[in-house]
Amino acid sequence: MPSAADSKQLLRRQLQAQRAALPSRYRHHAARHCARHALRALRLRGCRHVALYLAYRSELSTAPLIDALLDDGLHVYLPRLVGKQMRLIELHADTALQRNRYGIIEPCGSVHARRTQLDAIVMPLTGFDGAGNRLGTGGGYYDRLLAGSAAQRRPWRLGYAYALQRCDRVSVDRWDIPLHAVCTEHGLQRFT
């Protein structure tokens, strides 16, 4: 019988393969629709400081959402990996971008926001379940960033994914931080 870690890795591979098989036309459509749903939710919450990610490989693109947030005059932050930690760097028109050791595009710079400054964090995920449990890529960067915030309402933790990434159940470890909601191309699902 496979271990919990082996089961998680198998589920990751299956979900990543399904996500990668989506046609580019559908990805573009899903990114636009998801951005509209997320923007509405972030506006209703009065968010002014929002952290997001830049899509890597087959992740749902945040580009339409980032553009809309910047057009609304919000402060947008992107992750930068520093060792085993994730820092959030504010995005400006002149922010230089580079690829990190994993090939993921990230902002240059060393001045970073504290988690407590954020109203919301929009997170990529590989899978999620109906209880708000998130299956990431396995690096633990978001869990370390959010450590100690599980019982807090801030920042609001929003998963960002294709609807096909929903699972029956995601097994959780004691360090896993649950989501408050997930946004897909079909709409917003709240958990808490």
Side-chain angles (χ1 to χ4, degrees):
M1 178 175 235
S3 70
D6 290 340
S7 295
K8 273 187 169 182
Q9 194 55 36
L10 177 61
L11 181 58
R12 277 188 190 100
R13 283 195 301 269
Q14 291 170 341
L15 292 169
Q16 287 168 344
Q18 289 174 354
R19 191 175 68 188
L22 289 171
S24 62
R25 187 174 184 176
Y26 185 83
R27 290 171 196 256
H28 183 71
H29 161 85
R32 285 191 338 266
H33 283 273
C34 199
R36 280 200 300 270
H37 299 308
L39 187 61
R40 186 178 315 117
L42 293 166
R43 283 176 176 160
L44 285 171
R45 295 189 66 80
C47 295
R48 301 293 306 153
H49 295 266
V50 180
L52 299 98
Y53 65 94
L54 292 174
Y56 178 64
R57 293 188 179 157
S58 63
E59 290 174 340
L60 180 61
S61 175
T62 56
L65 180 56
I66 290 171
D67 290 343
L69 293 172
L70 291 172
D71 286 348
D72 276 4
L74 274 65
H75 298 272
V76 172
Y77 304 85
L78 297 174
R80 175 180 168 84
L81 302 184
V82 179
K84 290 245 178 221
Q85 301 300 313
M86 179 186 291
R87 303 286 185 243
L88 297 169
I89 310 296
E90 188 166 3
L91 180 64
H92 298 283
D94 62 348
T95 301
L97 301 173
Q98 66 183 16
R99 291 196 183 275
N100 66 20
R101 65 185 176 269
Y102 299 113
I104 301 168
I105 297 173
E106 64 181 19
C108 298
S110 58
V111 178
H112 59 91
R114 291 183 313 279
R115 179 188 74 210
T116 55
Q117 289 176 263
L118 299 175
D119 298 310
I121 182 165
V122 177
M123 295 185 280
L125 50 86
T126 303
F128 67 96
D129 65 20
N133 297 310
R134 173 185 174 271
L135 178 66
T137 58
Y141 289 98
Y142 283 94
D143 292 320
R144 283 189 292 278
L145 175 71
L146 295 168
S149 71
Q152 299 173 4
R153 301 302 301 167
R154 264 184 75 157
W156 189 54
R157 299 179 299 274
L158 178 63
Y160 207 68
Y162 298 102
L164 65 75
Q165 293 175 254
R166 184 180 172 129
C167 311
D168 291 334
R169 183 180 169 278
V170 171
S171 63
V172 295
D173 293 303
R174 61 178 166 66
W175 55 82
D176 289 331
I177 307 292
L179 299 166
H180 292 118
V182 166
C183 188
T184 73
E185 66 273 30
H186 300 308
L188 189 76
Q189 179 182 1
R190 296 178 198 281
F191 303 114
T192 57

